[in-house]
Amino acid sequence: MPTYPDPAVLYPEVAAEGSLAAALRAIAVEQGLSVPVPVTESSSLYGTLVPTTVPHREELKVSASYVERRWFITGCERDQGLALIQGDTLDLAQVARAAQAWHDGTPLTDIPQAASFVELTGRFEVPDRDPTRLVESEWRHLLKEAAEVSWPEYHALIEAAYAEPRLRQLYPFTSHWSLRFSTKTRPNLSRDVLVCLHPRRDKDYSVTLGYMGQDLGETATAEEAVSLAARNLPADLGSATYGAA
């Protein structure tokens, strides 16, 4: 069993208050904020949830590292459970400001102005569950992620796939860095056996039916892989629809 540092050493202000929820609420008050963090007998030193006034947002998850002094936040949309904001910081006061903004319904793009450690995931909020916007939101996330990863082949694949209209109309998702597609959005992805594109670090690509299905071929460029994938889509395939739970 791993041995972790004493939480009273890592987080003395949290230990003094008895829980992360209580410490977060106390430091919010010090800053003139009113973060409504529920404190109960079961409140933990390492995690808490901050409610929100926005129906399509989940509670903000706040957690603390067991091995070093650091706090993490994740803010997800409620329908799909996907992260809209995230971040980590050494400053609990920053966490309180992010929590206040999330609770109050501050627009996503404005939250980093309230708490500079907050990172946007590229996704945007789609309260009405419009499938076209949900598809675009997920593509935006993948494009941002790909631009930040030290893997040129993966970046090129996502860019090329987004540029292909027949693929762009489908809901994209990844598994082990392979790009897959669904004819329905989350939370209920379709079970259709569609094309799957696999980047490699030796500067080539492969295309299969499904994640481990029929091998459709290998290509030297991302653009060629995307073209091969598009040619192997069903002719009557339309835009993705909402995948109701």
Side-chain angles (χ1 to χ4, degrees):
M1 294 291 290
T3 301
Y4 299 115
D6 184 344
V9 175
L10 286 181
Y11 308 108
E13 69 274 60
V14 175
E17 292 289 344
S19 68
L20 178 54
L24 184 58
R25 192 161 66 179
I27 201 165
V29 170
E30 291 177 10
Q31 297 181 88
L33 305 174
S34 56
V35 183
V37 190
V39 179
T40 67
E41 292 183 0
S42 61
S43 293
S44 167
L45 295 174
Y46 291 102
T48 191
L49 297 174
V50 180
T52 174
T53 58
V54 181
H56 56 268
R57 290 181 181 178
E58 289 186 348
E59 296 170 303
L60 184 72
K61 297 177 183 177
V62 182
S63 60
S65 170
Y66 283 80
V67 297
E68 63 176 347
R69 181 181 171 88
R70 187 173 298 274
W71 287 282
F72 303 86
I73 68 159
T74 305
C76 297
E77 50 81 46
R78 187 174 298 278
D79 199 43
Q80 301 181 94
L82 297 176
L84 300 170
I85 64 169
Q86 58 194 17
D88 62 272
T89 179
L90 303 177
D91 186 355
L92 190 58
Q94 282 274 325
V95 174
R97 289 193 282 274
Q100 186 76 66
W102 183 259
H103 169 270
D104 292 348
T106 299
L108 296 180
T109 53
D110 292 343
I111 295 179
Q113 299 176 33
S116 59
F117 78 99
V118 174
E119 300 175 0
L120 305 179
T121 65
R123 297 184 180 100
F124 51 82
E125 295 179 280
V126 187
D128 62 358
R129 300 174 176 176
D130 176 71
T132 300
R133 286 179 52 77
L134 287 173
V135 167
E136 179 65 17
S137 175
E138 199 58 22
W139 274 114
R140 292 294 172 182
H141 164 68
L142 290 181
L143 289 165
K144 183 178 187 298
E145 177 188 62
E148 296 170 348
V149 172
S150 299
W151 190 356
E153 293 82 8
Y154 179 75
H155 187 187
L157 179 64
I158 299 299
E159 293 275 1
Y162 182 70
E164 167 52 55
R166 295 205 69 204
L167 295 180
R168 191 170 62 240
Q169 69 179 346
L170 300 173
Y171 187 88
F173 65 103
T174 57
S175 176
H176 296 83
W177 299 99
S178 293
L179 179 59
R180 305 176 65 178
F181 303 93
S182 171
T183 57
K184 295 181 180 179
T185 69
R186 287 184 176 92
N188 187 19
L189 298 177
S190 65
R191 298 183 181 274
D192 304 85
V193 180
L194 300 179
V195 291
C196 182
L197 296 95
H198 312 270
R200 296 175 178 169
R201 292 191 181 273
D202 54 3
K203 298 185 180 181
D204 64 359
Y205 303 83
S206 64
V207 182
T208 60
L209 276 180
Y211 182 58
M212 300 180 65
Q214 178 187 348
D215 187 0
L216 298 176
E218 297 185 0
T219 69
T221 69
E223 290 76 13
E224 290 170 334
V226 165
S227 179
L228 176 60
R231 292 198 302 272
N232 281 276
L233 290 174
D236 58 350
L237 196 63
S239 300
T241 58
Y242 177 68

